Amino acid sequence: MRWDAQALVPAPDPGTAGAAPALLPLAGLVRSVTTPEFAGITFHEVTAKSVLNKVPAGSRMPFEWTVNPYRGCSHACVYCFARKSHTYLDFDAGLDFDSQVVVKVNAAEVLRSELSKPSWKGHQVALGTNTDPYQRAEGRYKLMPGIIAALAETGTPFSILTKGTLLGRDIPLLKSAASQVPVGLGISLAMTDEELSEAIEPGTPGPRARLKLVSRLREAGLPCGVMAMPILPWLSDSDEALDSLFAALAAAGATGVSAGALYLKPGTREWFMQWLAARHPELAGKYRRLYGTGSYASKEYRTWLAAKVRYFKARHGFTGTSGFSHDDVDDPRGEEAQYPAGSIPEPGAANHRRAGQHALAAGPSAGPAGQDALF
């Protein structure tokens, strides 16, 4: 096969004298692969000993376990919060995160084995918490069908968060799974501007394609919450941009929406600010003042944005659809600390319908136009 012919580093045979060393010190490395279909990207195929990851004790996440069949992500979202995790593999958080993708080729088999142990109690498992399980390489590796089957057949509730329209391939499997266990589905989409999306998340399907996926999921009777994050200061936070976004999500039938401002943790911040200086140098100083030395935008900005988000959610019928929240008095994220309805599994969630759709289409009498233009 053409893909096989692209192997850079075959797995060394430990019984062969003088076997070639692995290209990278990755545990379980089988081979590293490049192919013209994915120009500029190297895939490091590894065999994993375990794929279930325990969420740290004390976390307020609505799940205890995660699975990430890939590490690194060809979506190449400049703002991706997971970038620093690549440094744990001795890659950098910038270009390497986009172009050096680790693939756990035996993920489905290992997961099934782990879920079949008597000690497994059917806790909820979340996919897409670090890197996207439906990034482009999934079209080649086809790891998710086996993962979905393993979860459903062992009675394990699960959720998937993705930007990848490859999820549409697995709608029949997801419908079958949802008849066996609670399933939550989330799409990440924070803008309708195709040009901005192409610039800042160049490896993703565009907004129109993701909106179509939301509609397909809803037409299939599956839930679909939308994580409208990150909202980008001065780039996607205008009244026009937010109105367009929430109107499009309502039309697509999203079961709920959460929105929040750009989060710039270390590793992400440096890469994003480099991109901003190159693409929008007029905004670089504003971002430095808005974020200071921290990861979050100022409290004033977050308060201002939250008011706009509440207005447009109400205008387009997303009242009463906030879903699970893990925020508390010490959490500065507010709205973005919520998981939108449909994105987290709950019994019967696939049969729920978003209450009050379009009920407030005209919007309340006082809205963003009456707010101070702080940002």
Side-chain angles (χ1 to χ4, degrees), residues 29-285:
L29 180 67
V30 177
R31 62 175 183 171
S32 296
V33 180
T34 61
T35 171
E37 300 167 64
F38 296 86
I41 300 175
T42 301
F43 297 98
H44 304 286
E45 300 176 354
V46 302
T47 53
K49 293 183 179 179
S50 174
V51 295
L52 275 172
N53 309 301
K54 186 75 168 68
V55 175
S59 169
R60 292 180 175 270
M61 296 298 105
F63 41 81
E64 296 181 51
W65 298 87
T66 65
V67 170
N68 290 290
Y70 301 92
R71 298 191 66 174
C73 187
S74 61
H75 284 340
C77 301
V78 177
Y79 52 75
C80 183
F81 71 90
R83 286 184 170 275
K84 190 172 182 178
S85 66
H86 227 41
T87 64
Y88 308 155
L89 303 176
D90 291 328
F91 291 119
D92 68 50
L95 185 60
D96 282 354
F97 182 83
D98 304 336
S99 63
Q100 304 292 327
V101 178
V102 177
V103 185
K104 301 173 187 178
V105 291
N106 63 337
E109 294 80 7
V110 173
L111 179 62
R112 184 178 294 277
S113 175
E114 292 181 297
L115 298 179
S116 298
K117 294 178 179 179
S119 58
W120 178 249
K121 303 303 181 184
H123 302 290
Q124 180 189 330
V125 172
L127 294 107
T129 59
N130 193 53
T131 55
D132 201 314
Y134 282 103
Q135 57 182 285
R136 284 181 58 216
E138 171 61 16
R140 157 66 193 184
Y141 286 103
K142 299 179 174 65
L143 302 180
M144 286 300 290
I147 290 172
I148 292 168
L151 291 163
E153 291 167 13
T154 57
T156 302
F158 66 92
S159 63
I160 298 172
L161 176 64
T162 183
K163 289 184 175 79
T165 52
L166 272 167
L167 182 143
R169 177 200 66 193
D170 293 341
I171 286 177
L173 286 173
L174 291 166
K175 288 182 67 176
S176 176
S179 70
Q180 301 173 70
V181 298
V183 172
L185 298 172
I187 301 300
S188 177
L189 176 60
M191 63 193 75
T192 57
D193 186 328
E194 298 279 339
E195 184 176 349
L196 178 59
S197 176
E198 172 64 26
I200 203 164
E201 42 189 30
T204 67
R208 283 191 295 269
R210 277 177 271 167
L211 286 167
K212 185 175 180 181
L213 176 60
V214 174
S215 295
R216 288 183 63 194
L217 290 169
R218 300 299 290 127
E219 289 164 2
L222 292 165
C224 184
V226 172
M227 303 288 273
M229 303 179 200
I231 304 298
L232 305 167
W234 298 289
L235 290 172
S236 63
D237 64 352
S238 68
D239 290 354
E240 294 77 15
L242 293 173
D243 192 39
S244 173
L245 175 63
F246 286 103
L249 296 176
T255 48
V257 185
S258 294
L262 176 67
Y263 174 51
L264 290 177
K265 65 185 295 186
T268 300
R269 182 189 180 104
E270 296 81 1
W271 191 245
F272 178 86
M273 293 302 289
Q274 178 181 322
W275 175 88
L276 190 72
R279 293 297 191 102
H280 297 279
E282 74 283 1
L283 296 180

